[in-house]
Amino acid sequence: MLTNDQYAESAIFDALEGGIIVLDLHERIVNWNAWMTSASGQSFETVYGKTLSEIFPGLMFRRLASAIKLALESGASTGISNALNSSPLPLRTRSRRKLLHDIKVSPIGSSPITACLVFITDVTMATHREQYLRDQQKARYNAVVESAPDVIITIDGAGCIQMANPAAVSQFGYTLNELTGKDAAILFDERSDWPTTWRTAVESSTPVQSKELIAIHKDGSLSYVEASASRWNIGARALVTVILRNITERRAINLALRASEAAARNSAAALADLNQSLEQRVEQRTAQLMNAEEALRQSQKMEAIGQLTGGIAHDFNNLLQGITGSLHVTQKLIALGRIGETDRFLKAAIDSAYRAASLTHRLLAFSRQQPIDPRPLNVNELITSMEELLRRTIGETVQMNFTAADSLWLIRCDANQLENAILNLAINARDAMPDGGTLTIEMSNKILDSAEAALRELQPGEHVRLIVKDTGEGMPAEVRARVFEPFFTTKAIGKGTGLGLSMIYGFVKQSNGSVLIESEVGKGTSIEVCLPRYQGNLDVEATDETNPRESRAGLDEVVLVVEDEGVVRLLVVEVLKELGYYALEAQNGASAVQILESRQRIDLLITDLGLPDISGNEVARIGIANRKNLKVLFMTGYAEKAASNSFLQEGMEIITKPFPMDLLAERIRSMIETR
Ligand code: ADP
Ligand code: MG
C-alpha cells in the first residue's frame, strides 16, 4: 500500500506532460509514469525491473545508452535533442503518430549516485512546425531557383556540379542528369578563365564577381555570361553556388552602342572633314572672288586708263611733235649748213622720245597685270613720276599740290599697287570735287608714339606718311564706316566699283601699314596711309628731267605762242624765227592773258587748246576781247576736238598735232599775210 505522500507523489508524477523513467544503478526501470505508458503502450507493471534495451530491443539509441552510463558512473547530465529528427525511442502520440522528443538524462543523488532520471519531452508539434517552415522556405527557394532566368548551379569542392536549375538546362542544352556530377569547366570556353573564377570563389568568404566569360552550349554555340559565385559550407564541406547571367544581348547592345558612339565620333570626324572641305571650298570661293576682284581691279584700271586716254593722246602727240619737229628743224639746219645749231634740237628730240618712252612704260606698267613685287622705294619719286598721270586724271578744275619732306625715308612695297592706290585716292578726291577744289598730296616722315601706333594698329616707330586730302563733299559717318567694304560705293553704276578703298586697305595691310580716314560732310576728306620705314638702300632709277625753256624773238610781226609743252613751244618759236616773225612765249593761260591784256603788239595768237589752267579757247576769247583783229591758231592733240570745228570763229584756225613744221610755217604765213 502507498503512503499518502507516496500517493501524492505518484499523482503528480503521472500528471506530468512528459515522460519520466527512473533507472537504478543497474539501468533497470524502477519507475515509469503514466505518460510513458501511454506513449509506449506498455504498462509500468510490464516494464518494471527491465532495462530500456530489453523493452525496446534493437532500438536503444547509442547516445541515450552512453548518456545513461555517464549519469550513473560519473554523475554528469546529458541532453539529447531531436535536432536531426532522430528521436531515440519508438514513442507515439495519442493519435498514434510518431512522437518526436528531446531527452535529458540526470543522475539522482551524489556520492553515491543512487539512480538516474530520464526525462522525455514531446517536441512533435514544434518539430513539425519547424519542418513546415523549412519546407516552406525550401519551396520558396526552389521556386526562385527553378524559375530564375539566370543559370544557378551548385558546385562541390572538386568543381563538380551538384545541382542545376532549369535555366542551366536551357542555357547549356544538357539534361539535368547530364549536368549533375560533371566538371563545371566543360561549360566554359578556354578563352574565358573559368578556373580563376572558380578558385577565387572557393577561397573567398564573400561573393565573387567574375569577368566576362564565354559559355559553351552543348551544340558548341557560344554566349557571353557574367558569373557571381558565393561559397557556403555544409559542415566541413565547401559548396559554391554560381549564378550565371547571360549578357550576350546586353553585350551586343553595348557593342552597338559603342559602335554607334564610334559612328558618332566618326561622323564628328566626318563633320570636321566636311568642315575642312567647306573651308577649302570657302578658300576656293575666296580665291575665285579674289580673281573676280583682280579682274575688277583690272577693269577699274582700264577704266582709269580710258579716262586718261584723251589726256595721254594729247601728251603723246605733244611728245611726238617734239620729236618730229626737232628732227625737221635739224634737217633744215643741216641743209643750211648751220650744223652748230642742231644740237639743241637733237637734244629736244631725244628728250621727247625718252619722255614718250617713259609715259608708255608707265601706262603699260599700270595696265599690265603684274605680280606683286615689294621693293624698297621712295614715295616722293614715285609720285613725281605719276604727276602727269595724276594731273590728267583729276582734270583741269582741280588744283593739285604736292608737299614732301626733304629726305623722305624709304618704304618697301609693290610700286604698282602703291601707284594704283594713289591714283584711286586721286580719282575719289576728284569725284568728291565735281565743282573743283584742291587736291593735296603730302608725304612726310613720321615717328609714331605708342598711342599713335595703337590708333593705327601698328608698332610704334618710324613710318612714312602719305596724306591725300581733298576739299570735296566729304562723307557722312555711315559711309565712312563702310568705305573699306569691297563693292561698297555711293557712285552711279558704271562710275564706281566700290573696290578702290578696299583694295587700298588690303594692299596697305599686306605692307604692314595702316589707312586712316578723316572726313567731314562739306569740308572734305583726308586719307592717311602709313607705311613702315624701310631700313636699307634703293636701286636708283633714272628720273625724268624737265626741259629747258627758252624764248626766241623774230623781227616784224609779233606772234604770241601759248604752249605748256616746252619742246612744242620751242619748235613753234623756231618756225616763227625762220619765217622772220617776232615770237612771244607763254607757258600757261594765265601768263598769256597777262600779255594779251598788256599793250604789247600781237598779230597772231598760237595757243594749245588744252592748257593746264585756262583753256586755249578762254585765252583766245580774252585776246579777241582786247584786240579786235587778233587771229588765232589753235593747236591740239585731241583728234575729236579738231574734228568738230564748230567753236571756230572768223580768224580762227586749228592745227592738229603732230604736224609737219612746213605745214605750220605755211599756216602761220598765210594767216598773217591774209590780214
Ligand atoms: P568707288 O570709288 O568705286 O565708289 P571706293 O572704294 O574707292 O569705291 O570708295 C568707296 C566710297 O567711299 C565712294 O563711293 C565714296 O562714297 C566714298 N569715298 C571715297 N573717297 C572719298 C572722298 N575722297 N570723298 C568723299 N567720299 C569718298
Ligand atoms: Mg574709288
Side-chain angles (χ1 to χ4, degrees):
M1 259 324 267
L2 292 174
T3 64
N4 272 350
D5 274 2
Q6 278 173 325
Y7 185 82
E9 200 177 272
S10 162
I12 294 166
F13 196 66
D14 283 334
L16 276 175
E17 274 300 309
I20 295 176
I21 306 166
V22 183
L23 302 173
D24 66 8
L25 287 174
H26 305 288
E27 297 181 25
R28 286 184 301 237
I29 297 168
V30 289
N31 212 339
W32 169 283
N33 69 351
W35 188 92
M36 272 309 296
T37 302
S38 135
S40 66
Q42 302 196 48
S43 66
F44 174 61
E45 286 72 29
T46 51
V47 299
Y48 179 76
K50 293 183 178 165
T51 62
L52 283 173
S53 42
E54 281 170 335
I55 300 163
F56 306 112
L59 284 170
M60 182 62 191
F61 188 56
R62 203 161 38 84
R63 279 188 72 199
L64 177 56
S66 57
I68 291 167
K69 200 169 251 117
L70 200 67
L72 291 175
E73 287 172 6
S74 60
S77 299
T78 306
I80 299 167
S81 83
N82 181 54
L84 291 168
N85 264 346
S86 51
S87 295
L89 301 174
L91 304 176
R92 304 231 156 239
T93 63
R94 277 198 194 95
S95 54
R96 307 318 296 162
R97 286 174 60 203
K98 185 182 177 189
L99 192 145
L100 302 173
H101 51 274
D102 288 347
I103 294 174
K104 190 171 180 201
V105 181
S106 301
I108 297 175
S110 56
S111 46
I113 291 161
T114 52
C116 95
L117 273 179
V118 177
F119 295 95
I120 296 158
T121 315
D122 180 353
V123 295
T124 311
M125 287 299 285
T127 304
H128 281 160
R129 196 163 50 243
E130 252 172 57
Q131 185 64 46
Y132 171 78
L133 287 177
R134 255 202 306 279
D135 289 351
Q136 281 275 304
Q137 213 169 16
K138 192 166 180 223
R140 270 205 297 274
Y141 167 81
N142 280 344
V144 171
V145 170
E146 300 292 298
S147 63
D150 293 338
V151 170
I152 303 175
I153 48 179
T154 298
I155 302 168
D156 66 15
C160 295
I161 297 165
Q162 294 298 304
M163 185 232 91
N165 70 343
V169 171
S170 63
Q171 161 80 36
F172 291 103
Y174 298 100
T175 64
L176 198 54
N177 271 341
E178 286 173 324
L179 278 176
T180 315
K182 281 251 164 59
D183 186 340
I186 60 147
L187 303 179
F188 301 98
D189 186 88
E190 284 170 359
R191 282 168 291 172
S192 50
D193 194 4
W194 165 251
T196 304
T197 307
W198 165 242
R199 221 176 11 256
T200 319
V202 172
E203 285 163 9
S204 166
S205 54
T206 52
V208 168
Q209 204 72 34
S210 82
K211 279 196 257 161
E212 189 177 277
L213 301 171
I214 302 171
I216 313 177
H217 190 271
K218 189 182 178 185
D219 66 13
S221 63
L222 302 177
S223 54
Y224 290 88
V225 295
E226 222 169 53
S228 83
S230 36
R231 191 199 65 192
W232 51 286
N233 291 350
I234 297 178
R237 209 171 150 228
L239 290 167
V240 175
T241 294
V242 180
I243 301 175
L244 298 177
R245 173 153 296 179
N246 192 325
I247 56 163
T248 311
E249 208 170 307
R250 192 181 79 194
R251 197 172 175 277
I253 290 168
N254 276 343
L255 282 178
L257 266 175
R258 244 171 288 156
S260 67
E261 259 168 35
R265 267 196 305 276
N266 284 345
S267 61
L271 203 69
D273 280 356
L274 183 67
N275 258 342
Q276 200 176 357
S277 77
L278 265 178
E279 266 165 37
Q280 273 169 5
R281 266 162 46 200
V282 168
E283 264 166 40
Q284 274 171 14
R285 290 281 301 140
T286 309
Q288 280 169 7
L289 251 176
M290 274 164 69
N291 287 343
E293 236 177 72
E294 178 59 30
L296 258 164
R297 185 163 76 111
Q298 192 59 19
S299 70
Q300 202 194 30
K301 280 196 301 193
M302 297 325 285
E303 186 190 301
I305 287 167
Q307 289 179 340
L308 293 176
T309 318
I312 302 279
H314 174 82
D315 279 353
F316 239 89
N317 285 339
N318 271 339
L319 293 169
L320 288 175
Q321 186 65 66
I323 297 165
T324 54
S326 296
L327 291 175
H328 279 135
V329 172
T330 309
Q331 199 175 32
K332 278 227 174 86
L333 288 172
I334 291 169
L336 293 170
R338 289 155 62 186
I339 310 252
E341 292 173 47
T342 56
D343 227 37
R344 208 150 55 88
F345 293 99
L346 285 175
K347 188 178 175 297
I350 292 166
D351 205 61
S352 289
Y354 273 136
R355 293 188 60 195
S358 140
L359 185 60
T360 319
H361 174 80
R362 186 139 306 293
L363 271 176
L364 285 177
F366 179 66
S367 60
R368 207 164 41 222
Q369 273 181 305
Q370 282 176 325
I372 289 162
D373 178 23
R375 275 174 197 283
L377 60 91
N378 183 318
V379 185
N380 200 1
E381 280 174 15
L382 182 108
I383 291 190
T384 307
S385 72
M386 286 177 75
E387 195 177 332
E388 283 188 44
L389 196 72
L390 288 172
R391 279 195 202 283
R392 294 295 165 202
T393 306
I394 61 171
E396 284 158 6
T397 55
V398 174
Q399 194 75 41
M400 189 165 74
N401 297 326
F402 290 105
T403 59
D406 274 348
S407 47
L408 201 65
W409 292 329
L410 297 182
I411 56 161
R412 188 172 179 278
C413 70
D414 183 85
N416 284 312
Q417 283 195 320
L418 182 59
E419 268 177 27
N420 202 0
I422 293 166
L423 191 70
N424 270 304
L425 291 176
I427 292 172
N428 281 348
R430 178 201 64 191
D431 291 350
M433 301 186 284
D435 302 324
T438 307
L439 167 70
T440 309
I441 300 182
E442 266 172 42
M443 289 150 283
S444 58
N445 296 331
K446 171 86 187 155
I447 299 177
L448 297 177
D449 65 27
S450 51
E452 290 168 328
L455 175 69
R456 293 165 175 80
E457 295 177 344
L458 294 177
Q459 296 299 315
E462 296 176 333
H463 288 80
V464 171
R465 183 158 74 159
L466 171 74
I467 297 176
V468 179
K469 204 158 44 178
D470 65 57
T471 55
E473 58 205 10
M475 290 177 246
E478 63 273 18
V479 170
R480 197 172 56 223
R482 298 189 58 196
V483 289
F484 291 131
E485 280 176 29
F487 308 111
F488 175 79
T489 181
T490 56
K491 294 170 193 173
I493 293 171
K495 287 272 163 63
T497 59
L499 282 176
L501 285 173
S502 67
M503 272 175 355
I504 290 171
Y505 183 84
F507 150 69
V508 169
K509 281 277 156 190
Q510 196 182 30
S511 310
N512 304 316
S514 67
V515 195
L516 269 190
I517 295 186
E518 267 175 46
S519 186
E520 212 178 312
V521 175
K523 294 229 170 120
T525 301
S526 164
I527 298 186
E528 180 213 76
V529 173
C530 261
L531 293 163
R533 177 181 183 180
Y534 171 72
Q535 305 280 0
N537 294 321
L538 184 70
D539 311 322
V540 186
E541 214 187 295
T543 51
D544 296 334
E545 39 177 79
T546 45
N547 287 302
R549 286 160 200 209
E550 283 173 45
S551 50
R552 287 243 123 196
L555 299 168
D556 248 322
E557 278 92 349
V558 181
V559 180
L560 174 60
V561 182
V562 189
E563 168 64 71
D564 57 325
E565 187 59 48
V567 181
V568 177
R569 207 167 59 239
L570 172 73
L571 288 167
V572 175
V573 168
E574 183 58 29
V575 169
L576 289 170
K577 214 174 96 185
E578 261 181 36
L579 292 171
Y581 302 123
Y582 184 84
L584 286 176
E585 293 178 55
Q587 24 177 318
N588 54 42
S591 47
V593 168
Q594 234 176 348
I595 297 167
L596 286 168
E597 280 171 354
S598 74
R599 287 159 159 221
Q600 170 70 49
R601 169 184 171 178
I602 297 170
D603 302 288
L604 174 66
L605 170 66
I606 303 179
T607 181
D608 189 10
L609 258 178
L611 291 168
D613 49 0
I614 313 168
S615 78
N617 246 331
E618 182 67 5
V619 173
R621 198 185 56 74
I622 294 167
I624 290 164
N626 285 287
R627 294 170 175 75
K628 280 265 157 325
N629 297 318
L630 182 68
K631 299 216 161 160
V632 181
L633 175 60
F634 291 110
M635 298 181 291
T636 180
Y638 291 96
E640 68 220 319
K641 278 195 185 156
S644 68
N645 294 348
S646 52
F647 67 97
L648 293 179
Q649 297 165 17
E650 179 70 17
M652 290 183 179
E653 280 188 39
I654 191 162
I655 186 166
T656 304
K657 296 176 197 171
F659 43 76
M661 288 296 113
D662 289 343
L663 179 66
L664 178 67
E666 208 181 286
R667 294 285 282 276
I668 293 169
R669 210 182 304 127
S670 75
M671 280 186 85
I672 290 178
E673 280 169 13
T674 58
R675 198 148 55 111

Tab-separated table of all heavy atoms in Angstrom, residues 12-30:
chain	number	residue	atom	x	y	z
A	12	ILE	N	1.280	13.404	-9.029
A	12	ILE	CA	1.990	14.477	-9.751
A	12	ILE	C	2.803	13.861	-10.900
A	12	ILE	O	2.790	14.305	-12.035
A	12	ILE	CB	2.934	15.243	-8.799
A	12	ILE	CG1	2.118	16.002	-7.740
A	12	ILE	CG2	3.814	16.228	-9.579
A	12	ILE	CD1	2.939	16.504	-6.587
A	13	PHE	N	3.453	12.779	-10.540
A	13	PHE	CA	4.295	12.034	-11.443
A	13	PHE	C	3.538	11.639	-12.703
A	13	PHE	O	4.010	11.857	-13.834
A	13	PHE	CB	4.779	10.793	-10.665
A	13	PHE	CG	5.943	10.082	-11.243
A	13	PHE	CD1	7.201	10.718	-11.297
A	13	PHE	CD2	5.814	8.755	-11.684
A	13	PHE	CE1	8.266	10.009	-11.804
A	13	PHE	CE2	6.902	8.074	-12.201
A	13	PHE	CZ	8.140	8.694	-12.268
A	14	ASP	N	2.318	11.177	-12.456
A	14	ASP	CA	1.524	10.717	-13.600
A	14	ASP	C	0.884	11.841	-14.390
A	14	ASP	O	0.543	11.704	-15.563
A	14	ASP	CB	0.416	9.748	-13.121
A	14	ASP	CG	1.028	8.367	-12.819
A	14	ASP	OD1	2.101	8.090	-13.454
A	14	ASP	OD2	0.484	7.642	-12.005
A	15	ALA	N	0.715	13.002	-13.704
A	15	ALA	CA	0.048	14.112	-14.375
A	15	ALA	C	1.003	14.876	-15.301
A	15	ALA	O	0.593	15.698	-16.104
A	15	ALA	CB	-0.527	15.072	-13.319
A	16	LEU	N	2.305	14.626	-15.198
A	16	LEU	CA	3.292	15.378	-15.985
A	16	LEU	C	3.096	15.166	-17.495
A	16	LEU	O	2.853	14.052	-17.942
A	16	LEU	CB	4.707	14.931	-15.601
A	16	LEU	CG	5.317	15.594	-14.372
A	16	LEU	CD1	6.670	14.938	-14.073
A	16	LEU	CD2	5.503	17.079	-14.600
A	17	GLU	N	3.117	16.266	-18.206
A	17	GLU	CA	3.068	16.181	-19.668
A	17	GLU	C	4.462	15.888	-20.149
A	17	GLU	O	5.186	16.750	-20.590
A	17	GLU	CB	2.546	17.508	-20.281
A	17	GLU	CG	1.026	17.599	-20.363
A	17	GLU	CD	0.426	16.478	-21.231
A	17	GLU	OE1	0.900	16.300	-22.380
A	17	GLU	OE2	-0.483	15.789	-20.747
A	18	GLY	N	4.904	14.734	-20.096
A	18	GLY	CA	6.257	14.355	-20.489
A	18	GLY	C	6.574	13.034	-19.809
A	18	GLY	O	5.892	12.646	-18.854
A	19	GLY	N	7.556	12.313	-20.300
A	19	GLY	CA	7.840	11.003	-19.740
A	19	GLY	C	8.944	11.055	-18.702
A	19	GLY	O	9.853	11.861	-18.814
A	20	ILE	N	8.758	10.235	-17.652
A	20	ILE	CA	9.830	10.122	-16.662
A	20	ILE	C	10.096	8.628	-16.458
A	20	ILE	O	9.177	7.837	-16.248
A	20	ILE	CB	9.442	10.741	-15.318
A	20	ILE	CG1	9.241	12.263	-15.503
A	20	ILE	CG2	10.538	10.501	-14.260
A	20	ILE	CD1	8.768	12.948	-14.231
A	21	ILE	N	11.384	8.311	-16.579
A	21	ILE	CA	11.781	6.929	-16.319
A	21	ILE	C	12.867	7.000	-15.245
A	21	ILE	O	13.762	7.826	-15.352
A	21	ILE	CB	12.370	6.249	-17.584
A	21	ILE	CG1	11.401	6.357	-18.789
A	21	ILE	CG2	12.730	4.772	-17.288
A	21	ILE	CD1	12.052	6.017	-20.113
A	22	VAL	N	12.714	6.187	-14.213
A	22	VAL	CA	13.755	6.145	-13.173
A	22	VAL	C	14.483	4.799	-13.304
A	22	VAL	O	13.842	3.750	-13.382
A	22	VAL	CB	13.148	6.281	-11.753
A	22	VAL	CG1	14.269	6.306	-10.688
A	22	VAL	CG2	12.290	7.541	-11.647
A	23	LEU	N	15.828	4.913	-13.423
A	23	LEU	CA	16.635	3.693	-13.572
A	23	LEU	C	17.531	3.553	-12.349
A	23	LEU	O	18.048	4.546	-11.841
A	23	LEU	CB	17.524	3.795	-14.824
A	23	LEU	CG	16.818	4.023	-16.156
A	23	LEU	CD1	17.845	4.277	-17.269
A	23	LEU	CD2	15.947	2.803	-16.514
A	24	ASP	N	17.715	2.277	-11.864
A	24	ASP	CA	18.644	2.084	-10.735
A	24	ASP	C	20.054	1.929	-11.260
A	24	ASP	O	20.290	2.092	-12.453
A	24	ASP	CB	18.221	0.861	-9.887
A	24	ASP	CG	18.363	-0.455	-10.662
A	24	ASP	OD1	18.956	-0.397	-11.812
A	24	ASP	OD2	17.893	-1.493	-10.189
A	25	LEU	N	20.960	1.677	-10.395
A	25	LEU	CA	22.371	1.636	-10.777
A	25	LEU	C	22.653	0.575	-11.834
A	25	LEU	O	23.652	0.632	-12.531
A	25	LEU	CB	23.256	1.408	-9.536
A	25	LEU	CG	23.369	2.639	-8.604
A	25	LEU	CD1	24.157	2.262	-7.321
A	25	LEU	CD2	24.060	3.811	-9.294
A	26	HIS	N	21.729	-0.408	-11.935
A	26	HIS	CA	21.903	-1.460	-12.946
A	26	HIS	C	21.093	-1.179	-14.199
A	26	HIS	O	20.870	-2.068	-14.997
A	26	HIS	CB	21.512	-2.823	-12.338
A	26	HIS	CG	22.278	-3.115	-11.082
A	26	HIS	ND1	23.629	-3.446	-11.082
A	26	HIS	CD2	21.897	-3.067	-9.768
A	26	HIS	CE1	24.030	-3.591	-9.825
A	26	HIS	NE2	22.999	-3.362	-8.998
A	27	GLU	N	20.641	0.098	-14.345
A	27	GLU	CA	19.886	0.566	-15.511
A	27	GLU	C	18.521	-0.118	-15.636
A	27	GLU	O	17.889	-0.101	-16.695
A	27	GLU	CB	20.693	0.359	-16.828
A	27	GLU	CG	21.980	1.164	-16.867
A	27	GLU	CD	22.752	0.974	-18.173
A	27	GLU	OE1	22.129	0.625	-19.210
A	27	GLU	OE2	23.981	1.213	-18.177
A	28	ARG	N	18.080	-0.684	-14.527
A	28	ARG	CA	16.764	-1.329	-14.558
A	28	ARG	C	15.693	-0.307	-14.187
A	28	ARG	O	15.915	0.581	-13.359
A	28	ARG	CB	16.708	-2.511	-13.561
A	28	ARG	CG	17.499	-3.741	-14.036
A	28	ARG	CD	17.323	-4.885	-13.073
A	28	ARG	NE	17.744	-4.568	-11.747
A	28	ARG	CZ	18.674	-5.247	-11.056
A	28	ARG	NH1	19.276	-6.297	-11.604
A	28	ARG	NH2	18.975	-4.910	-9.830
A	29	ILE	N	14.559	-0.427	-14.857
A	29	ILE	CA	13.485	0.546	-14.670
A	29	ILE	C	12.867	0.307	-13.287
A	29	ILE	O	12.431	-0.788	-12.965
A	29	ILE	CB	12.397	0.400	-15.745
A	29	ILE	CG1	13.003	0.703	-17.131
A	29	ILE	CG2	11.202	1.340	-15.479
A	29	ILE	CD1	12.133	0.325	-18.293
A	30	VAL	N	12.870	1.402	-12.479
A	30	VAL	CA	12.237	1.273	-11.177
A	30	VAL	C	10.985	2.141	-11.126
A	30	VAL	O	10.146	1.975	-10.247
A	30	VAL	CB	13.198	1.639	-10.014
A	30	VAL	CG1	14.267	0.563	-9.841
A	30	VAL	CG2	13.818	3.010	-10.211
